[in-house]
Amino acid sequence: MRQQKIIFLLVITLISSCSSSKNEIIPENDDNDLIMTKNLPFTNLSQDYNIEGNSISTYYINDDDVPYVDVLKYIQSLNGFINCGESLKYKYYPNKNMFVLSYYYNDNLSSYAQFHWDTNSVYVSDFDFFTNITTSENQKTNYNSYIKHTKYDSWSKKAVRFNLESYYFDVLYWNGKCLIPFTIANMLFCSQNQFNVYYTEESYYGFYGEINNSDEAYKTIYTNNSNGKTQSKEMRKATVNSLLFAMDYFYGLKKTKKIKLFKEYISKNDFDLLWSQNADDNFNGLKHILLNQLDELHTRIDGRSIYSNKHLNQLYNSNDCGEFRNEFNSLYYQQLALRKEKVGELISPVRYSGDTAIITLDNFKTGSKFELYDSDGNIKDTAWKYDTYFFMRHCMNDIIKHEEVNDVVLDLSLNGGGNI
């Protein structure tokens, strides 16, 4: 008999061990679960993808308020971001307790994902499966400009099994549908491709890239009837376990930080803040873990909980950050002041010193199609101001006029990264 999970009560299944062989698969389903269905509106707030769907079917298990989605219907709702064409096929295997999505490249099976409701797990033959099934062309920005692909191979070297049960999540097979938690679906199919679907209890919103709490899209997403509401214990548990799942499977510096399991990395005090049903407590716990304890530049907090009333407040300051981050910021501003002293306030794209040309690259930028091309598809004269590729061409066109130049130096001393 299955045990009761922290978040969800699974249907009880009795199996007679004396009549089953060791390798026999017993078909299971969750048709006896009490599941409520809502069709919530979906609004895409990004111009990057033309997504066809305008709603997402949402399922709530045994009177809980934690949202689940039908895997197949979820990705079909996001068609335009996910490519639901001939390259993506699906099939249910009820007798094997499995739903399978298969990605085909040049009509050949390339990779696949299996959703197992008897073991509450997801298996992918190659981790790139979730990237391969997305639409390749961004409608707003062409990130693949001037990149030529000569060959594509997938040798299944990056197989991964996601054990949802370890995080008290279920995979359900209910009325012929394969259901998984919305937060897991978003992480697998969307987040790692820089697109996120946001759930507000009343609706869903799509947004591409890193959101800023000063953006209009942020205000649209986070201003709703959930603001100030006390979270349910089930929602809180799902949120904390989502954090643990994300950090265990997706955090790229686990080995560097010597983290085996993220739950063992978090202090009791921070866990108490995370488990609290008060959104401000949750945010303070996250700030300490992500900004102070992990203390590295690519781990940030972009927003508060939908249950917070403080969305327009400053997210954090130097007091919330660790030693490394504060030292980096201090050195950055020292270097900036030194450059102003030596070179001046305004830095030209190229400056010259004897036979050396110095190109200043303070960030890496990818311009939108509107910024780069006119209505006839011609490159605008100002394209170099918005895109590093065209910026480098602009600089080289200037350098070639200086016959004395023998060396070109890229000044990256204040380069904070960006989109390459």
Side-chain angles (χ1 to χ4, degrees):
M1 184 174 70
R2 291 189 181 181
Q3 301 297 315
Q4 182 176 349
K5 303 301 181 186
I6 289 180
I7 299 175
F8 304 107
L9 181 65
L10 288 177
V11 62
I12 296 174
T13 305
L14 296 177
I15 300 175
S16 175
S17 58
C18 61
S19 62
S20 302
S21 64
K22 186 176 181 180
N23 296 321
E24 183 179 357
I25 297 176
I26 308 299
E28 299 178 11
N29 67 64
D30 299 280
D31 289 349
N32 291 329
D33 276 17
L34 175 63
I35 297 182
M36 182 179 68
T37 306
K38 283 185 179 179
N39 200 37
L40 298 181
F42 168 77
T43 304
N44 180 27
L45 298 176
S46 296
Q47 299 176 5
D48 300 83
Y49 296 100
N50 293 326
I51 296 176
E52 296 178 4
N54 55 20
S55 65
I56 295 177
S57 296
T58 310
Y59 303 83
Y60 302 94
I61 319 300
N62 295 328
D63 292 327
D64 285 347
D65 61 347
V66 177
Y68 271 60
V69 294
D70 172 356
V71 176
L72 180 60
K73 294 299 182 183
Y74 181 73
I75 63 175
Q76 289 176 340
S77 296
L78 299 178
N79 189 31
F81 166 65
I82 295 175
N83 185 358
C84 297
E86 291 297 319
S87 61
L88 184 62
K89 303 182 186 299
Y90 66 89
K91 189 171 183 179
Y92 289 92
Y93 296 88
N95 291 331
K96 296 182 179 180
N97 299 315
M98 182 173 64
F99 171 68
V100 180
L101 288 170
S102 302
Y103 170 71
Y104 285 76
Y105 184 79
N106 288 340
D107 295 325
N108 295 313
L109 178 62
S110 174
S111 56
Y112 56 87
Q114 300 173 342
F115 299 81
H116 300 264
W117 49 83
D118 55 344
T119 59
N120 297 317
S121 62
V122 179
Y123 173 83
V124 287
S125 61
D126 190 301
F127 197 74
D128 284 342
F129 169 84
F130 297 110
T131 301
N132 293 336
I133 66 173
T134 58
T135 303
S136 60
E137 184 176 357
N138 187 300
Q139 300 298 313
K140 180 180 177 183
T141 305
N142 187 358
Y143 293 98
N144 292 324
S145 292
Y146 307 103
I147 296 176
K148 295 181 180 180
H149 298 271
T150 57
K151 187 178 181 182
Y152 175 88
D153 286 302
S154 178
W155 293 95
S156 301
K157 294 180 180 179
K158 296 180 285 184
V160 178
R161 181 175 294 279
F162 298 94
N163 186 354
L164 273 61
E165 193 165 75
S166 294
Y167 304 88
Y168 307 101
F169 288 122
D170 294 330
V171 178
L172 303 176
Y173 183 58
W174 178 77
N175 285 359
K177 302 177 179 66
C178 180
L179 309 181
I180 63 173
F182 158 71
T183 183
I184 300 299
N186 182 59
M187 270 189 269
L188 295 182
F189 290 104
C190 301
S191 295
Q192 58 186 305
N193 295 306
Q194 300 191 49
F195 184 83
N196 275 290
V197 177
Y198 295 79
Y199 170 78
T200 71
E201 294 192 328
E202 302 167 339
S203 57
Y204 292 93
Y205 294 94
F207 188 82
Y208 180 80
E210 189 171 2
I211 198 167
N212 189 295
N213 71 336
S214 62
D215 294 342
E216 283 301 317
Y218 183 95
K219 298 173 186 176
T220 299
I221 294 169
Y222 284 94
T223 304
N224 52 64
N225 291 330
S226 298
N227 298 162
K229 179 180 174 182
T230 299
Q231 306 163 70
S232 70
K233 291 182 179 179
E234 290 76 16
M235 182 64 80
R236 196 66 229 144
K237 291 170 184 175
T239 303
V240 172
N241 281 300
S242 297
L243 171 68
L244 299 178
F245 178 88
M247 299 303 287
D248 283 344
Y249 281 105
F250 295 99
Y251 185 55
L253 296 180
K254 274 181 65 179
K255 290 184 179 179
T256 303
K257 299 287 185 179
K258 298 181 180 178
I259 300 171
K260 186 175 181 180
L261 289 174
F262 201 65
K263 66 180 180 180
E264 299 171 355
Y265 183 77
I266 301 175
S267 69
K268 181 183 181 304
N269 183 62
D270 285 334
F271 255 132
D272 288 342
L273 292 171
L274 293 182
W275 286 121
S276 169
Q277 290 173 262
N278 181 283
D280 293 335
D281 289 343
N282 307 154
F283 188 66
N284 288 331
L286 277 175
K287 282 196 298 185
H288 185 260
I289 296 166
L290 302 180
L291 302 180
N292 189 284
Q293 191 176 358
L294 287 177
D295 191 20
E296 55 95 9
L297 300 178
H298 285 88
T299 300
R300 296 183 288 272
I301 299 178
D302 288 340
R304 300 173 187 268
S305 165
I306 60 170
Y307 300 105
S308 174
N309 271 326
K310 301 178 179 179
H311 289 295
L312 299 183
N313 292 13
Q314 181 181 357
L315 291 176
Y316 55 87
N317 55 43
S318 60
N319 293 328
D320 299 314
C321 301
E323 181 180 347
F324 175 78
R325 188 187 293 260
N326 283 324
E327 183 180 6
F328 173 88
N329 290 333
S330 176
L331 290 173
Y332 176 88
Y333 288 112
Q334 288 180 37
Q335 177 71 10
L336 180 61
L338 182 62
R339 188 173 75 176
K340 287 181 180 179
E341 177 186 331
K342 298 292 184 181
V343 184
E345 185 79 31
L346 297 177
I347 308 297
S348 61
V350 187
R351 59 188 191 272
Y352 297 90
S353 177
D355 63 352
T356 300
I358 304 169
I359 300 175
T360 302
L361 278 175
D362 285 349
N363 52 40
F364 297 111
K365 297 187 293 185
T366 306
S368 68
K369 294 177 182 178
F370 174 78
E371 291 170 327
L372 303 184
Y373 304 100
D374 62 22
S375 57
D376 295 323
N378 301 310
I379 299 172
K380 292 182 178 180
D381 293 336
T382 56
W384 65 274
K385 296 180 179 180
Y386 306 100
D387 189 282
T388 300
Y389 177 87
F390 292 104
F391 175 82
M392 290 296 294
R393 282 176 44 169
H394 175 80
C395 293
M396 292 301 176
N397 287 335
D398 189 80
I399 291 172
I400 204 171
K401 300 173 185 176
H402 295 257
E403 296 181 356
E404 73 279 8
V405 170
N406 290 318
D407 301 299
V408 177
V409 173
L410 299 183
D411 179 1
L412 303 175
S413 58
L414 289 173
N415 191 301
N419 194 323
I420 58 172

